[in-house]
Amino acid sequence: MTRATKLLTALPPPQRQRLMTLAREVSFPEDARIFEAGGTADRFWILRSGAVSLVQQVTSLRRVTVAGLGSGDLLGWSWLFPPYRWDFGAEAFSPVRAYEFEAQPVLKLCEEDPALGMTLVRIVAEILAHRLEMTRGKLMEQYGTHRRGAL
């Protein structure tokens, strides 16, 4: 299983410093909706404290938590890939403090510094691979439990 990668600690210090020049500190109260699935993905966050749930609307009445994120975790990757729409929703599970980055200035920085851009894309890919693996494990657990219960 892959290990959880933290974006800011995975970036080499000079690249981290360049990226952090684009950060602004934000906060969200508990139960705040940070973004909704299908909305325009034009930013991302690095969580400093608190917890965020990634949620998927399964039916009009049912939302399922697909992942929980905490300190140091990347929130939002859809800003990097067309069509730039959120795949999930995100809700603050507790009060959250985060660094917020607007996508366009980050993408411009990546064009100006291709080494930074490549490193950033590689780290985001590692994060996505880890989350996919974790989600797959949860689905296998649920499916296995469901199948055993059906016998």
Side-chain angles (χ1 to χ4, degrees), residues 22-99:
L22 302 177
R24 75 180 185 107
E25 294 185 31
V26 297
S27 61
F28 301 99
E30 183 175 350
D31 295 327
R33 289 249 176 78
I34 299 169
F35 56 83
E36 292 290 338
T40 301
D42 60 356
R43 63 196 65 236
F44 66 96
W45 300 263
I46 303 294
L47 302 182
R48 296 179 58 214
S49 65
V52 172
S53 298
L54 294 179
V55 295
Q56 181 67 52
Q57 193 77 36
V58 178
T59 67
S60 61
L61 300 175
R62 186 167 178 234
R63 295 171 75 92
V64 174
T65 298
V66 295
L69 305 177
S71 181
D73 285 334
L74 169 68
L75 172 60
W77 52 265
S78 298
W79 62 275
L80 194 53
F81 306 103
Y84 310 108
R85 298 277 178 210
W86 299 118
D87 289 314
F88 301 101
E91 299 173 354
F93 186 74
S94 68
V96 170
R97 290 179 25 219
Y99 294 117

